[in-house]
């Protein structure tokens, strides 16, 4: 692991970044276990653009998440976790209440897929013109590593996710689908290392693939058991 890249990922930095304008050309890709979608309209103000990963280690019982973004203090609004319950990532046109809602539903025994469906169905969508539910992106993993992820059709391009056993990577305003693909590959190829190093390896792989096209300023890792 490169110490300089680890420092860049885990420390908040005041760096100059270029402005980003979402593409007007939508793209979509889908395959088994993966649903990737892009924005058809520009968000009214900068969303919580980021890429994140949720992962589970069946050997230790640890689960957690990692996130990186051009947004300052990104961990505050993205990562949510509770020991013996699960971990959640909330981002894009974010409603941070999705985090505690998801943990409460997981704690009641609801499966991740049902949690995602329930939260989306009950979203009051109070600001549809400026902060629509169709722009939400979030991932929910239970204490056994089962995971479900949703990317809304209005999450800013490029937006999407990739899931596999015990892992899900998701992001928006990314360089392309290779960001989340590389993250999942890095997580799986570091099997046997501590979960913290696997999550960090995934962030580094996502950044190497282009990451958040606007730059990087903050990152966070959260692990529970």
């Amino acid at each position: 692991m490169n110490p300089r890249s680890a420092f860049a990922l885990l420390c908040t930095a005041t760096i100059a970044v270029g402005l980003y304008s979402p593409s007007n050309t939508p793209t979509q890709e889908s395959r088994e276990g993966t649903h990737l979608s892009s924005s058809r309209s520009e968000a009214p103000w900068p969303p919580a653009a980021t890429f994140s990963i949720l992962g589970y280690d069946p050997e230790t019982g640890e689960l957690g998440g990692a996130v990186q973004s051009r947004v300052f203090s990104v961990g505050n609004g993205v990562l949510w976790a509770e020991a013996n319950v699960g971990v959640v990532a909330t981002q894009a046109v974010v409603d941070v209440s999705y985090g505690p809602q998801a943990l409460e539903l997981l704690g009641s025994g609801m499966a991740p897929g049902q949690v995602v469906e329930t939260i989306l169905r009950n979203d009051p969508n109070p600001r549809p013109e400026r902060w629509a539910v169709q722009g939400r992106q979030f991932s929910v993993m239970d204490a056994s590593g089962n995971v479900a992820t949703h990317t809304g059709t209005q999450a800013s391009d490029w937006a999407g996710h990739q899931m596999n056993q015990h892992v899900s990577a998701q992001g928006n305003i990314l360089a392309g689908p290779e960001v989340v693909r590389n993250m999942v590959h890095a997580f799986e190829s570091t099997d046997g290392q501590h979960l913290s190093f696997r999550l960090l390896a995934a962030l580094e792989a996502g950044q190497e693939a282009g990451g958040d096209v606007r730059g990087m300023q903050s990152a966070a890792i959260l692990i529970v058991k």
Side-chain angles (χ1 to χ4, degrees):
M1 178 176 58
N2 187 315
R4 291 185 63 187
S5 62
F7 179 83
L9 287 169
L10 295 176
C11 295
T12 299
T14 54
I15 57 176
V17 296
L19 295 176
Y20 171 72
S21 297
S23 169
N24 292 325
T25 305
T27 60
Q28 291 188 338
E29 177 180 351
S30 63
R31 59 184 180 276
E32 184 178 358
T34 307
H35 174 261
L36 308 175
S37 63
S38 65
S39 173
R40 294 182 181 273
S41 61
E42 186 174 353
W45 60 76
T50 183
F51 54 96
S52 67
I53 184 166
L54 302 184
Y56 171 71
D57 185 344
E59 296 297 320
T60 65
E62 293 176 325
L63 70 158
V67 58
Q68 183 187 314
S69 179
R70 194 275 298 171
V71 177
F72 283 118
S73 302
V74 68
N76 287 338
V78 173
L79 296 178
W80 309 80
E82 184 176 339
N84 301 314
V85 175
V87 61
V88 183
T90 60
Q91 54 203 57
V93 180
V94 65
D95 181 339
V96 294
S97 74
Y98 277 28
Q101 284 187 68
L103 292 176
E104 182 177 357
L105 292 172
L106 286 174
S108 72
M110 190 175 289
Q114 293 176 299
V115 171
V116 169
E117 293 175 2
T118 299
I119 291 176
L120 285 172
R121 183 172 62 250
N122 294 334
D123 190 321
N125 198 22
R127 306 180 75 174
E129 297 83 11
R130 297 179 57 81
W131 208 246
V133 64
Q134 290 82 2
R136 312 272 196 259
Q137 183 178 55
F138 69 115
S139 184
V140 179
M141 177 176 284
D142 67 17
S144 298
N146 302 305
V147 65
T149 303
H150 169 79
T151 299
T153 57
Q154 293 182 26
S156 297
D157 198 20
W158 188 90
H161 58 269
Q162 180 162 329
M163 297 183 294
N164 211 341
Q165 186 178 28
H166 300 156
V167 62
S168 178
Q170 48 281 326
N172 58 94
I173 312 188
L174 302 184
E178 62 275 8
V179 176
V180 291
R181 291 177 191 155
N182 284 17
M183 292 173 71
V184 170
H185 176 73
F187 182 84
E188 294 178 332
S189 64
T190 51
D191 187 27
Q193 297 186 31
H194 188 265
L195 182 60
S196 60
F197 290 104
R198 299 178 70 190
L199 294 172
L200 180 56
L203 290 188
E204 291 180 326
Q207 181 59 37
E208 289 173 2
D212 181 338
V213 296
R214 303 173 307 164
M216 58 180 182
Q217 290 189 130
S218 68
I221 292 177
L222 177 62
I223 294 174
V224 296
K225 182 176 181 179

